[in-house]
Amino acid sequence: MKPALLAAAMLVAVSSAHAQTAAPTPAVPAPSQPTPGAAPVGPPVAADAPPLAVSPLRHRLKPLSTAARRVRTANREATLEPQARAFVNAAQIYPFSDGVLYRLYAAPELVSDIALQAGEIIISVAAGDTARWTVGDTTSGTGEAKREHILVKPFIAGLTTNLIITTDRRTYHLQLESTATTAMSALSWTYPQDELRAIKRAADQHRAATPVASGLAVEQLNFGSARRNKPSCGSRAAATRGARTGGHHDRRNHRTAGAREG
């Protein structure tokens, strides 16, 4: 009996020591329930804090003036868009007229060519947006066939700007607009006023080179027809002398008759 009691006592002592050295299990607090009628807890807010200021877009909200609307209307009516019948292959051919705004559609990574009249010399080129548009120039041909070219390319789509080209003959005004993929390959002009002046100059030269008596037949001339019913100078002189002679004879005969009566 004594060995069994001793073993049981030792087992109880070991269990007690293990229970004292084990870490206590932390108690999990129960979720707190909100108190009815209490305000939710949050970051402190100042009661007198001003509302956030929102800057108005005055330049968008302000209505356009009458003059500004007139300018916008004039620009819209003066803008000439590409016409299907005016394409020659991929080149748009505009008829030139002073004061017209010519539309050019361009696209990123594509170059559009603006070709001027043969023999025309560029004086200056000015673009409204030079930061997002590339504008260059080059030439083609030689002699009388030499032509100046302006090359334009946008960096991104959705851009609009204008381009002014002055030459020794005229001034060009263009409206540039960039799209995602659509671009005009080439653009040039016809010049109706120059053609009319050339026709008039040729007609004047032909008129100056035509002989004065051209188409006049000599056998159709009749120099005496205008004086057919008029007396000649000799007949008029003879009649005058006859009248004078007859008068002298009358006076002389009158004097002779008087002497005889006396």
Side-chain angles (χ1 to χ4, degrees):
M1 291 296 295
K2 289 183 179 181
L5 293 175
L6 182 60
M10 293 178 63
L11 181 60
V12 171
V14 171
S15 299
S16 300
H18 179 72
Q20 293 177 0
T21 57
T25 302
V28 178
S32 60
Q33 298 296 329
T35 304
V41 180
V45 179
D48 56 349
L52 296 177
V54 178
S55 59
L57 300 177
R58 296 182 179 179
H59 63 285
R60 294 184 181 179
L61 299 178
K62 185 178 180 180
L64 291 176
S65 63
T66 302
R69 287 197 300 270
R70 291 172 182 171
V71 171
R72 180 174 295 183
T73 301
N75 289 341
R76 182 175 61 253
E77 294 178 352
T79 300
L80 187 58
E81 299 288 345
Q83 303 294 323
R85 63 180 181 275
F87 275 99
V88 177
N89 295 328
Q92 172 72 194
I93 311 297
Y94 284 124
F96 180 83
S97 181
D98 289 327
V100 175
L101 304 178
Y102 301 97
R103 180 79 70 186
L104 184 146
Y105 291 97
E109 301 181 2
L110 297 175
V111 177
S112 297
D113 175 23
I114 304 172
L116 305 184
Q117 189 179 27
E120 196 169 12
I121 300 175
I122 294 176
I123 296 177
S124 67
V125 179
D129 185 357
T130 57
R132 297 178 295 178
W133 289 78
T134 300
V135 180
D137 63 277
T138 186
T139 60
S140 65
T142 58
E144 296 182 355
K146 184 177 180 179
R147 302 183 69 176
E148 301 269 4
H149 298 258
I150 303 297
L151 308 178
V152 298
K153 182 182 69 172
F155 288 133
I156 59 176
L159 303 178
T160 58
T161 189
N162 69 321
L163 182 70
I164 299 177
I165 305 171
T166 60
T167 71
D168 59 341
R169 299 178 183 177
R170 57 187 61 88
T171 301
Y172 301 87
H173 296 85
L174 294 97
Q175 294 290 101
L176 309 183
E177 183 173 341
S178 65
T179 65
T181 58
T182 303
M184 297 167 62
S185 299
L187 182 155
S188 62
W189 289 268
T190 58
Y191 303 91
Q193 295 297 327
D194 289 3
E195 295 173 1
L196 291 176
R197 282 192 291 266
I199 293 174
K200 184 178 182 301
R201 185 166 50 250
D204 293 341
Q205 293 175 355
H206 178 73
R207 190 181 303 109
T210 302
V212 176
S214 175
L216 183 63
V218 178
E219 61 272 10
Q220 295 178 357
L221 298 178
N222 189 351
F223 296 100
S225 60
R227 302 176 60 185
R228 182 176 299 172
N229 298 325
K230 295 182 179 180
S232 62
C233 295
S235 301
R236 187 182 302 110
T240 303
R241 286 196 301 270
R244 290 177 180 177
T245 304
H248 287 302
H249 279 296
D250 292 339
R251 287 194 296 270
R252 185 174 53 194
N253 292 338
H254 179 72
R255 286 196 300 270
T256 304
R260 289 177 182 178
E261 290 177 358

